[in-house]
Amino acid sequence: GAVVSQHPSRVICKSGTSVKIECRSLDFQATTMFWYRQFPKQSLMLMATSNEGSKATYEQGVEKDKFLINHASLTLSTLTVTSAHPEDSSFYICSARSHRGSGANVLTFGAGSRLTVL
Amino acid sequence: GENVEQHPSTLSVQEGDSAVIKCTYSDSASNYFPWYKQELGKGPQLIIDIRSNVGEKKDQRIAVTLNKTAKHFSLHITETQPEDSAVYFCAAISNAGNMLTFGGGTRLMVKP
C-alpha cells in the first residue's frame, strides 16, 4: 500500500530557531500533500495544502511566513517552522493523496513529527 | 464548509464487547467517509472507508454504516481487544472539495 514517510519524528529546538520537517511519498507520486497540526487530545487541524510546483494554500489563521511549505517534487513536501516559539510546540502530521484501484482518492498519513520548542 | 461532529469523545468497553462511534456531517456533497485509528505518538492509520453509493461495509471485526439521508455514519467494532484502544477519527470529503474534515475524535479504551 501507499506509504508516507515523515522526518524527523521528534525534534527539540531553542526558541528563535527554524525547523524543517520532510514528508515523502515512498511508492507513489503525490501532486498534493497536506500539513496538519494536532495539539494534545485534540483533532487534526489542516494548516495548508501543498501543491507540487506551485504555492501552498494556507488555511485561515495560519501564517504563511511562519510556516513555509515547499513542494518541489512529486514525492517531497517540506514544512519549515521559522523562528519557532514555545507556542509552536505541537505534533505536525503530513498526508498525501494516493489513488487506489477503484479510482478513489485516499489520504495516507505520515507518522507525525513532534516539535518541542524550549 | 463541511462540519463533522463525532460522539462520544471517550468510550470505555470491556474486552469482547462491541464499540460504536457515531459521526454526522453537514455537507450533502460529501461522498467519501474514512475512519482513522491513531495510536499515541503516531500518525492516523486508515482502518476502513465508505463511499456514498454504499450503505454498509465490513472488514473482519470492523464495520461502517452510512445513512446519506440523515447525514450520519458510524463505526462498529465487535469483539473488542485491548489493542483496539486508541483514538479514532471519522472524516468526510467531497470530490468537489480538496479537504478532509475530521471529527473531534473518540478515545476508545478496551479493558482486559
Short mmCIF file of all heavy atoms in Angstrom, two decimals, chain B residues 13-63:
data_model
loop_
_atom_site.label_atom_id
_atom_site.label_comp_id
_atom_site.label_asym_id
_atom_site.label_seq_id
_atom_site.Cartn_x
_atom_site.Cartn_y
_atom_site.Cartn_z
N VAL B 13 -14.98 0.24 27.11
CA VAL B 13 -15.72 -1.01 26.98
C VAL B 13 -14.89 -2.14 27.57
O VAL B 13 -13.66 -2.05 27.70
CB VAL B 13 -16.09 -1.33 25.52
CG1 VAL B 13 -16.96 -0.23 24.93
CG2 VAL B 13 -14.85 -1.54 24.67
N GLN B 14 -15.57 -3.22 27.88
CA GLN B 14 -14.90 -4.41 28.38
C GLN B 14 -14.45 -5.24 27.17
O GLN B 14 -15.15 -5.27 26.13
CB GLN B 14 -15.86 -5.22 29.25
CG GLN B 14 -15.20 -6.08 30.28
CD GLN B 14 -14.49 -5.28 31.37
OE1 GLN B 14 -14.93 -4.22 31.78
NE2 GLN B 14 -13.38 -5.83 31.83
N GLU B 15 -13.31 -5.87 27.30
CA GLU B 15 -12.82 -6.72 26.22
C GLU B 15 -13.90 -7.71 25.80
O GLU B 15 -14.54 -8.35 26.64
CB GLU B 15 -11.57 -7.46 26.69
CG GLU B 15 -10.96 -8.36 25.63
CD GLU B 15 -9.70 -9.05 26.12
OE1 GLU B 15 -9.31 -8.84 27.29
OE2 GLU B 15 -9.08 -9.79 25.33
N GLY B 16 -14.08 -7.82 24.48
CA GLY B 16 -15.09 -8.72 23.96
C GLY B 16 -16.41 -8.04 23.64
O GLY B 16 -17.20 -8.56 22.83
N ASP B 17 -16.64 -6.88 24.24
CA ASP B 17 -17.86 -6.13 23.94
C ASP B 17 -17.71 -5.39 22.61
O ASP B 17 -16.62 -5.33 22.04
CB ASP B 17 -18.18 -5.13 25.05
CG ASP B 17 -18.64 -5.81 26.32
OD1 ASP B 17 -18.93 -7.03 26.27
OD2 ASP B 17 -18.72 -5.13 27.36
N SER B 18 -18.82 -4.82 22.15
CA SER B 18 -18.80 -4.03 20.92
C SER B 18 -18.66 -2.55 21.25
O SER B 18 -19.05 -2.10 22.33
CB SER B 18 -20.08 -4.26 20.12
OG SER B 18 -20.17 -5.59 19.68
N ALA B 19 -18.12 -1.82 20.30
CA ALA B 19 -17.98 -0.37 20.45
C ALA B 19 -18.57 0.30 19.21
O ALA B 19 -18.36 -0.17 18.09
CB ALA B 19 -16.52 0.02 20.60
N VAL B 20 -19.31 1.36 19.44
CA VAL B 20 -19.91 2.10 18.33
C VAL B 20 -19.57 3.58 18.47
O VAL B 20 -19.75 4.17 19.52
CB VAL B 20 -21.44 1.94 18.31
CG1 VAL B 20 -22.04 2.73 17.14
CG2 VAL B 20 -21.83 0.48 18.21
N ILE B 21 -19.08 4.14 17.39
CA ILE B 21 -18.75 5.57 17.34
C ILE B 21 -19.56 6.19 16.21
O ILE B 21 -19.62 5.63 15.12
CB ILE B 21 -17.25 5.78 17.09
CG1 ILE B 21 -16.43 5.08 18.18
CG2 ILE B 21 -16.91 7.27 17.05
CD1 ILE B 21 -14.93 5.04 17.90
N LYS B 22 -20.17 7.33 16.50
CA LYS B 22 -21.07 7.94 15.53
C LYS B 22 -20.58 9.31 15.08
O LYS B 22 -20.03 10.08 15.88
CB LYS B 22 -22.47 8.07 16.14
CG LYS B 22 -23.08 6.73 16.51
CD LYS B 22 -24.48 6.89 17.08
CE LYS B 22 -25.08 5.53 17.43
NZ LYS B 22 -26.45 5.65 17.97
N CYS B 23 -20.81 9.60 13.82
CA CYS B 23 -20.44 10.90 13.27
C CYS B 23 -21.57 11.45 12.40
O CYS B 23 -22.30 10.69 11.76
CB CYS B 23 -19.18 10.79 12.43
SG CYS B 23 -17.69 10.56 13.41
N THR B 24 -21.70 12.75 12.40
CA THR B 24 -22.61 13.43 11.49
C THR B 24 -21.83 14.44 10.68
O THR B 24 -20.79 14.93 11.12
CB THR B 24 -23.73 14.16 12.26
OG1 THR B 24 -23.14 15.14 13.13
CG2 THR B 24 -24.55 13.20 13.09
N TYR B 25 -22.32 14.70 9.48
CA TYR B 25 -21.67 15.68 8.63
C TYR B 25 -22.70 16.65 8.09
O TYR B 25 -23.91 16.38 8.11
CB TYR B 25 -20.89 15.00 7.50
CG TYR B 25 -21.73 14.17 6.54
CD1 TYR B 25 -22.13 14.68 5.31
CD2 TYR B 25 -22.08 12.86 6.87
CE1 TYR B 25 -22.89 13.91 4.44
CE2 TYR B 25 -22.84 12.09 6.00
CZ TYR B 25 -23.23 12.62 4.78
OH TYR B 25 -23.99 11.85 3.91
N SER B 26 -22.22 17.78 7.61
CA SER B 26 -23.16 18.83 7.22
C SER B 26 -23.29 19.02 5.72
O SER B 26 -24.34 19.44 5.22
CB SER B 26 -22.74 20.16 7.85
OG SER B 26 -21.45 20.54 7.41
N ASP B 27 -22.23 18.70 4.97
CA ASP B 27 -22.22 18.96 3.53
C ASP B 27 -22.78 17.75 2.77
O ASP B 27 -22.15 16.69 2.73
CB ASP B 27 -20.79 19.26 3.09
CG ASP B 27 -20.71 19.70 1.64
OD1 ASP B 27 -21.75 19.70 0.94
OD2 ASP B 27 -19.61 20.06 1.19
N SER B 28 -23.93 17.92 2.18
CA SER B 28 -24.56 16.81 1.45
C SER B 28 -23.75 16.38 0.23
O SER B 28 -23.99 15.31 -0.33
CB SER B 28 -25.98 17.19 1.03
OG SER B 28 -25.96 18.38 0.25
N ALA B 29 -22.79 17.21 -0.19
CA ALA B 29 -21.94 16.86 -1.33
C ALA B 29 -20.82 15.90 -0.93
O ALA B 29 -20.16 15.32 -1.80
CB ALA B 29 -21.34 18.11 -1.95
N SER B 30 -20.59 15.72 0.35
CA SER B 30 -19.54 14.79 0.78
C SER B 30 -19.90 13.38 0.36
O SER B 30 -21.04 12.94 0.48
CB SER B 30 -19.38 14.85 2.31
OG SER B 30 -18.81 16.09 2.68
N ASN B 31 -18.91 12.67 -0.16
CA ASN B 31 -19.21 11.34 -0.68
C ASN B 31 -18.17 10.29 -0.33
O ASN B 31 -18.21 9.17 -0.84
CB ASN B 31 -19.37 11.41 -2.21
CG ASN B 31 -18.14 11.97 -2.89
OD1 ASN B 31 -17.12 12.19 -2.25
ND2 ASN B 31 -18.22 12.18 -4.19
N TYR B 32 -17.24 10.65 0.54
CA TYR B 32 -16.22 9.68 0.95
C TYR B 32 -15.98 9.86 2.42
O TYR B 32 -15.74 10.98 2.89
CB TYR B 32 -14.94 9.89 0.13
CG TYR B 32 -13.79 9.02 0.56
CD1 TYR B 32 -13.85 7.64 0.46
CD2 TYR B 32 -12.62 9.59 1.07
CE1 TYR B 32 -12.80 6.85 0.87
CE2 TYR B 32 -11.56 8.80 1.48
CZ TYR B 32 -11.65 7.43 1.37
OH TYR B 32 -10.61 6.64 1.77
N PHE B 33 -16.04 8.74 3.16
CA PHE B 33 -16.00 8.83 4.62
C PHE B 33 -15.02 7.80 5.17
O PHE B 33 -15.36 6.63 5.38
CB PHE B 33 -17.41 8.59 5.18
CG PHE B 33 -18.44 9.47 4.56
CD1 PHE B 33 -19.17 9.05 3.45
CD2 PHE B 33 -18.68 10.74 5.06
CE1 PHE B 33 -20.10 9.86 2.85
CE2 PHE B 33 -19.63 11.57 4.47
CZ PHE B 33 -20.34 11.13 3.36
N PRO B 34 -13.80 8.22 5.44
CA PRO B 34 -12.81 7.30 6.01
C PRO B 34 -12.81 7.34 7.53
O PRO B 34 -13.22 8.34 8.14
CB PRO B 34 -11.49 7.84 5.46
CG PRO B 34 -11.73 9.31 5.32
CD PRO B 34 -13.21 9.49 5.03
N TRP B 35 -12.33 6.27 8.11
CA TRP B 35 -12.12 6.21 9.55
C TRP B 35 -10.64 5.94 9.80
O TRP B 35 -10.05 5.07 9.17
CB TRP B 35 -12.96 5.10 10.19
CG TRP B 35 -14.41 5.43 10.31
CD1 TRP B 35 -15.38 5.22 9.38
CD2 TRP B 35 -15.05 6.02 11.44
NE1 TRP B 35 -16.60 5.65 9.85
CE2 TRP B 35 -16.42 6.14 11.11
CE3 TRP B 35 -14.62 6.46 12.69
CZ2 TRP B 35 -17.36 6.68 12.00
CZ3 TRP B 35 -15.55 7.00 13.57
CH2 TRP B 35 -16.90 7.10 13.22
N TYR B 36 -10.08 6.69 10.75
CA TYR B 36 -8.68 6.54 11.06
C TYR B 36 -8.50 6.14 12.53
O TYR B 36 -9.26 6.57 13.40
CB TYR B 36 -7.92 7.85 10.82
CG TYR B 36 -7.80 8.22 9.36
CD1 TYR B 36 -8.79 8.98 8.74
CD2 TYR B 36 -6.71 7.81 8.61
CE1 TYR B 36 -8.69 9.31 7.39
CE2 TYR B 36 -6.60 8.15 7.27
CZ TYR B 36 -7.60 8.89 6.67
OH TYR B 36 -7.49 9.22 5.33
N LYS B 37 -7.48 5.34 12.76
CA LYS B 37 -7.10 4.95 14.12
C LYS B 37 -5.74 5.59 14.40
O LYS B 37 -4.81 5.45 13.61
CB LYS B 37 -6.99 3.43 14.22
CG LYS B 37 -6.49 2.90 15.56
CD LYS B 37 -6.36 1.37 15.51
CE LYS B 37 -5.88 0.81 16.85
NZ LYS B 37 -5.71 -0.67 16.80
N GLN B 38 -5.64 6.29 15.52
CA GLN B 38 -4.39 6.92 15.86
C GLN B 38 -3.94 6.44 17.23
O GLN B 38 -4.61 6.66 18.24
CB GLN B 38 -4.51 8.45 15.87
CG GLN B 38 -3.19 9.15 16.09
CD GLN B 38 -3.30 10.67 16.08
OE1 GLN B 38 -4.35 11.23 16.39
NE2 GLN B 38 -2.22 11.33 15.70
N GLU B 39 -2.78 5.80 17.23
CA GLU B 39 -2.18 5.37 18.49
C GLU B 39 -1.28 6.48 19.00
O GLU B 39 -0.86 7.35 18.25
CB GLU B 39 -1.42 4.06 18.29
CG GLU B 39 -2.36 2.92 17.88
CD GLU B 39 -1.65 1.62 17.62
OE1 GLU B 39 -0.42 1.65 17.43
OE2 GLU B 39 -2.31 0.58 17.63
N LEU B 40 -0.98 6.44 20.27
CA LEU B 40 -0.25 7.51 20.93
C LEU B 40 1.09 7.79 20.24
O LEU B 40 1.89 6.87 20.03
CB LEU B 40 -0.01 7.14 22.40
CG LEU B 40 0.52 8.26 23.29
CD1 LEU B 40 -0.48 9.40 23.37
CD2 LEU B 40 0.84 7.73 24.67
N GLY B 41 1.28 9.04 19.86
CA GLY B 41 2.54 9.44 19.26
C GLY B 41 2.73 9.02 17.82
O GLY B 41 3.83 9.13 17.27
N LYS B 42 1.66 8.56 17.18
CA LYS B 42 1.76 8.11 15.79
C LYS B 42 0.77 8.86 14.92
O LYS B 42 -0.14 9.52 15.41
CB LYS B 42 1.50 6.61 15.71
CG LYS B 42 2.51 5.76 16.48
CD LYS B 42 2.22 4.29 16.28
CE LYS B 42 3.24 3.43 17.02
NZ LYS B 42 2.98 1.97 16.85
N GLY B 43 0.96 8.73 13.62
CA GLY B 43 0.04 9.34 12.69
C GLY B 43 -1.21 8.49 12.53
O GLY B 43 -1.23 7.31 12.88
N PRO B 44 -2.28 9.06 12.01
CA PRO B 44 -3.52 8.29 11.80
C PRO B 44 -3.33 7.21 10.75
O PRO B 44 -2.66 7.42 9.74
CB PRO B 44 -4.50 9.35 11.31
CG PRO B 44 -3.90 10.67 11.66
CD PRO B 44 -2.43 10.46 11.61
N GLN B 45 -3.96 6.07 10.97
CA GLN B 45 -3.92 4.98 10.03
C GLN B 45 -5.34 4.69 9.56
O GLN B 45 -6.25 4.52 10.38
CB GLN B 45 -3.34 3.73 10.70
CG GLN B 45 -1.88 3.86 11.12
CD GLN B 45 -0.94 3.97 9.94
OE1 GLN B 45 -1.01 3.20 8.99
NE2 GLN B 45 -0.05 4.95 9.97
N LEU B 46 -5.51 4.63 8.27
CA LEU B 46 -6.82 4.31 7.70
C LEU B 46 -7.21 2.88 8.06
O LEU B 46 -6.43 1.95 7.83
CB LEU B 46 -6.79 4.48 6.18
CG LEU B 46 -8.09 4.16 5.44
CD1 LEU B 46 -9.13 5.21 5.74
CD2 LEU B 46 -7.84 4.07 3.94
N ILE B 47 -8.39 2.71 8.64
CA ILE B 47 -8.82 1.36 9.00
C ILE B 47 -9.99 0.89 8.14
O ILE B 47 -10.13 -0.31 7.88
CB ILE B 47 -9.19 1.25 10.50
CG1 ILE B 47 -10.27 2.28 10.89
CG2 ILE B 47 -7.96 1.39 11.36
CD1 ILE B 47 -10.81 2.09 12.29
N ILE B 48 -10.81 1.77 7.70
CA ILE B 48 -11.93 1.42 6.83
C ILE B 48 -12.49 2.70 6.25
O ILE B 48 -12.34 3.79 6.84
CB ILE B 48 -13.01 0.62 7.60
CG1 ILE B 48 -13.99 -0.07 6.63
CG2 ILE B 48 -13.76 1.52 8.58
CD1 ILE B 48 -14.89 -1.11 7.31
N ASP B 49 -13.11 2.60 5.09
CA ASP B 49 -13.74 3.77 4.50
C ASP B 49 -15.00 3.34 3.76
O ASP B 49 -15.21 2.16 3.49
CB ASP B 49 -12.78 4.52 3.57
CG ASP B 49 -12.20 3.63 2.47
OD1 ASP B 49 -12.68 2.49 2.28
OD2 ASP B 49 -11.24 4.07 1.81
N ILE B 50 -15.83 4.30 3.46
CA ILE B 50 -17.07 4.00 2.75
C ILE B 50 -17.40 5.14 1.81
O ILE B 50 -17.15 6.32 2.13
CB ILE B 50 -18.23 3.72 3.75
CG1 ILE B 50 -19.45 3.14 3.03
CG2 ILE B 50 -18.60 4.98 4.53
CD1 ILE B 50 -20.50 2.57 3.97
N ARG B 51 -17.95 4.79 0.67
CA ARG B 51 -18.37 5.81 -0.29
C ARG B 51 -19.89 5.96 -0.23
O ARG B 51 -20.60 5.08 0.25
CB ARG B 51 -17.94 5.41 -1.70
CG ARG B 51 -16.46 5.31 -1.81
CD ARG B 51 -15.94 5.57 -3.22
NE ARG B 51 -14.62 6.16 -3.13
CZ ARG B 51 -14.40 7.46 -3.15
NH1 ARG B 51 -15.38 8.30 -3.30
NH2 ARG B 51 -13.17 7.91 -3.05
N SER B 52 -20.34 7.06 -0.76
CA SER B 52 -21.75 7.41 -0.58
C SER B 52 -22.70 6.51 -1.35
O SER B 52 -23.90 6.54 -1.12
CB SER B 52 -21.99 8.87 -1.00
OG SER B 52 -21.58 9.07 -2.33
N ASN B 53 -22.17 5.70 -2.26
CA ASN B 53 -23.07 4.81 -3.01
C ASN B 53 -23.23 3.45 -2.32
O ASN B 53 -23.85 2.53 -2.86
CB ASN B 53 -22.53 4.60 -4.44
CG ASN B 53 -21.13 4.03 -4.45
OD1 ASN B 53 -20.46 3.97 -3.42
ND2 ASN B 53 -20.67 3.62 -5.62
N VAL B 54 -22.69 3.36 -1.12
CA VAL B 54 -22.77 2.12 -0.34
C VAL B 54 -23.32 2.43 1.03
O VAL B 54 -23.01 3.47 1.61
CB VAL B 54 -21.36 1.49 -0.21
CG1 VAL B 54 -21.41 0.25 0.67
CG2 VAL B 54 -20.81 1.14 -1.58
N GLY B 55 -24.17 1.54 1.56
CA GLY B 55 -24.76 1.79 2.87
C GLY B 55 -24.00 1.16 4.02
O GLY B 55 -24.10 1.61 5.15
N GLU B 56 -23.23 0.11 3.69
CA GLU B 56 -22.54 -0.59 4.75
C GLU B 56 -21.31 -1.29 4.16
O GLU B 56 -21.31 -1.74 3.02
CB GLU B 56 -23.45 -1.63 5.40
CG GLU B 56 -22.84 -2.35 6.59
CD GLU B 56 -23.82 -3.29 7.29
OE1 GLU B 56 -24.99 -3.30 6.89
OE2 GLU B 56 -23.42 -3.96 8.24
N LYS B 57 -20.29 -1.36 4.98
CA LYS B 57 -19.06 -2.05 4.56
C LYS B 57 -18.47 -2.73 5.78
O LYS B 57 -18.47 -2.16 6.88
CB LYS B 57 -18.07 -1.04 3.96
CG LYS B 57 -16.80 -1.65 3.40
CD LYS B 57 -15.97 -0.55 2.76
CE LYS B 57 -14.65 -1.07 2.21
NZ LYS B 57 -13.85 0.02 1.60
N LYS B 58 -17.95 -3.93 5.57
CA LYS B 58 -17.43 -4.68 6.71
C LYS B 58 -16.06 -5.24 6.38
O LYS B 58 -15.80 -5.68 5.26
CB LYS B 58 -18.39 -5.83 7.07
CG LYS B 58 -18.07 -6.53 8.37
CD LYS B 58 -19.14 -7.54 8.73
CE LYS B 58 -18.83 -8.21 10.06
NZ LYS B 58 -19.86 -9.22 10.44
N ASP B 59 -15.19 -5.24 7.37
CA ASP B 59 -13.86 -5.82 7.23
C ASP B 59 -13.51 -6.49 8.54
O ASP B 59 -13.10 -5.85 9.50
CB ASP B 59 -12.83 -4.73 6.88
CG ASP B 59 -11.43 -5.30 6.67
OD1 ASP B 59 -11.27 -6.54 6.70
OD2 ASP B 59 -10.49 -4.50 6.47
N GLN B 60 -13.73 -7.77 8.61
CA GLN B 60 -13.50 -8.58 9.80
C GLN B 60 -14.30 -8.03 10.98
O GLN B 60 -15.52 -8.04 10.95
CB GLN B 60 -12.00 -8.66 10.09
CG GLN B 60 -11.22 -9.32 8.93
CD GLN B 60 -9.74 -9.48 9.22
OE1 GLN B 60 -9.17 -8.81 10.08
NE2 GLN B 60 -9.10 -10.38 8.50
N ARG B 61 -13.64 -7.53 12.01
CA ARG B 61 -14.36 -7.06 13.20
C ARG B 61 -14.85 -5.62 13.08
O ARG B 61 -15.48 -5.09 13.99
CB ARG B 61 -13.47 -7.19 14.43
CG ARG B 61 -13.09 -8.62 14.79
CD ARG B 61 -12.34 -8.67 16.12
NE ARG B 61 -11.06 -7.95 16.07
CZ ARG B 61 -10.83 -6.81 16.70
NH1 ARG B 61 -11.79 -6.23 17.44
NH2 ARG B 61 -9.64 -6.23 16.62
N ILE B 62 -14.51 -4.98 11.98
CA ILE B 62 -14.86 -3.57 11.82
C ILE B 62 -15.90 -3.40 10.73
O ILE B 62 -15.82 -4.03 9.67
CB ILE B 62 -13.60 -2.76 11.45
CG1 ILE B 62 -12.57 -2.83 12.57
CG2 ILE B 62 -13.95 -1.30 11.15
CD1 ILE B 62 -11.24 -2.20 12.21
N ALA B 63 -16.88 -2.56 10.99
CA ALA B 63 -17.90 -2.27 10.00
C ALA B 63 -18.24 -0.78 10.07
O ALA B 63 -18.10 -0.14 11.12
CB ALA B 63 -19.16 -3.10 10.24
#
